[in-house]
Amino acid sequence: MASVIAGFFASLFQAFVNFLHAVTHPGDWLAWLPYINRPMPDPEVKQSLMRFIYYGASRELLFVILALLIVLTVIGLIRRPVMWLYVRVLEGFANAIGRTVAWVGLIMVIQQVVIVLLQRLFRVAQIEFGLFGIGFAKDLSWWSEELKLYNAMIVALCVTYTFVQGGHVRVDLLYAGARFRTRKLIDMLGSLFFMMPVACVTWVFAWFFFWRVMIVPNPSASDALDKLLLKARAVRWNIETIGFSPNGFDMYFLFKLLILSYVGLVFIQAYAFFCRSLLEFIEGPDSENRYLDKDTLGQGEEAYEGTH
């Protein structure tokens, strides 16, 4: 037990060293960025890509994030207005993304109507856009299958917005009848032991799931850094462009990128929810829902809010 605790604090201290090294040596893991979907000119660039893939779902990154959250939490407990600022910024971030991406639903409806009209009434086979001499033409089946991407964007990017707005589904067997501070304690424990761990585990699988359709040879979660650096000799871009139909939507790697976005947003919101619950636990019922920016239908429509 003592060795486990010692190892934990050693990894936590090493996290600060790793963070400083990453900040001061960005070329070690970001040199590949100018060569996305282009041939990488030398082994150092290829190795930087493999380091990025390895550390993107590594134990080292986990402890860097953990160390950062501990520092932020300690600062917030010393100065509670600072922690309230965390809550306002992170919840505002979730609301801003959700309110923006929600308009994709309107785009999805308009695009579906246009596709039906062009296909059924005018017998058009493709849609083409042009701007400044640059054209983008795709078959109607491509645009039709692209609607799935809009739906995925709404689900993945509006999830934390829905959580902040209180629109998520919850089963209150014990929670609703509990006292105020008991409820806040349940919220804190739920953030720490359910939302964050599940987000971390999902991230590991989603991370390598994404990179397996971006490059060859395929990286694996079980690969050590040395093995990935050996694979770097033969690494090249192989971005997935396979569609379900001959002329259908061929950018399915974007769905895998949305999974990563979804998990990242959930983890960030889990910390924001922990901070809010902790502050409300400390400050009492008067602080409940403080600074909470919830949507409203307008004055006189209160009776309809929350009705589905």
Side-chain angles (χ1 to χ4, degrees):
M1 185 66 179
S3 61
V4 172
I5 296 174
F8 174 82
F9 283 103
S11 298
L12 204 59
F13 175 78
Q14 185 63 34
F16 294 98
V17 178
N18 293 337
F19 177 77
L20 289 175
H21 180 84
V23 171
T24 55
H25 298 80
D28 288 351
W29 55 289
L30 292 177
W32 57 276
L33 281 177
Y35 305 99
I36 296 177
N37 207 22
R38 292 169 49 197
M40 288 175 273
D42 52 63
E44 287 76 15
V45 174
K46 296 180 178 181
Q47 289 179 359
S48 71
L49 173 59
M50 288 306 197
R51 289 192 192 94
F52 181 82
I53 294 172
Y54 173 79
Y55 286 113
S58 65
R59 182 174 179 269
E60 289 83 355
L61 177 62
L62 175 63
F63 274 94
V64 167
I65 294 174
L66 182 60
L68 175 63
L69 295 184
I70 290 174
V71 170
L72 291 176
T73 304
V74 171
I75 294 173
L77 287 174
I78 295 173
R79 294 190 59 83
R80 277 183 286 183
V82 175
M83 186 172 284
W84 276 116
L85 180 62
Y86 302 162
V87 173
R88 296 175 68 181
V89 170
L90 296 179
E91 290 183 349
F93 178 65
N95 279 335
I97 292 178
R99 287 165 179 162
T100 302
V101 176
W103 287 99
V104 171
L106 177 61
I107 298 173
M108 181 169 57
V109 172
I110 294 173
Q111 183 170 313
Q112 181 66 81
V113 171
V114 170
I115 289 171
V116 171
L117 290 176
L118 291 177
Q119 189 175 41
R120 301 299 181 185
L121 295 181
F122 301 101
R123 302 297 180 184
V124 174
Q126 68 176 19
I127 300 176
E128 181 176 0
F129 290 98
L131 188 65
F132 303 116
I134 301 175
F136 182 76
K138 290 292 183 181
D139 191 87
L140 275 181
S141 61
W142 190 95
W143 294 102
S144 182
E145 290 186 13
E146 190 215 10
L147 296 172
K148 300 175 185 176
L149 179 64
Y150 295 148
N151 187 64
M153 288 174 64
I154 294 171
V155 173
L157 302 180
C158 293
V159 61
T160 50
Y161 164 67
T162 303
F163 186 84
V164 171
Q165 296 297 319
H168 59 293
V169 177
R170 63 186 305 160
V171 180
D172 294 335
L173 297 177
L174 301 175
Y175 185 90
R179 290 180 297 180
F180 176 80
R181 282 191 166 83
T182 302
R183 295 202 307 271
K184 298 309 165 184
L185 183 61
I186 292 173
D187 290 338
M188 285 188 285
L189 295 177
S191 299
L192 290 178
F193 297 106
F194 289 96
M195 289 182 71
M196 286 185 174
V198 170
C200 290
V201 172
T202 308
W203 176 272
V204 173
F205 285 96
W207 180 256
F208 288 98
F209 184 53
F210 171 74
W211 284 105
R212 286 175 68 85
V213 299
M214 297 295 290
I215 63 171
V216 289
N218 292 330
S220 172
S222 60
D223 289 343
L225 179 59
D226 292 342
K227 186 175 182 179
L228 286 176
L229 292 178
L230 286 175
K231 287 183 177 182
R233 300 175 183 177
V235 71
R236 62 182 176 83
W237 295 103
N238 187 37
I239 300 177
E240 181 185 62
T241 56
I242 300 174
F244 287 121
S245 60
N247 296 317
F249 186 67
D250 56 356
M251 301 172 67
Y252 279 92
F253 68 92
L254 293 177
F255 289 90
K256 300 170 178 65
L257 184 61
L258 282 175
I259 297 174
L260 290 173
S261 303
Y262 161 79
V263 177
L265 288 172
V266 169
F267 186 89
I268 292 172
Q269 189 53 42
Y271 180 68
F273 189 55
F274 169 79
C275 290
R276 171 174 286 281
S277 302
L278 177 59
L279 287 167
E280 291 177 353
F281 179 86
I282 295 172
E283 298 183 4
D286 291 340
S287 65
E288 188 172 23
N289 294 333
R290 181 180 294 174
Y291 304 121
L292 184 60
D293 181 16
K294 295 191 70 172
D295 292 339
T296 177
L297 297 175
Q299 188 175 5
E301 301 293 334
E302 294 83 356
Y304 299 98
E305 293 178 9
T307 304
H308 303 284

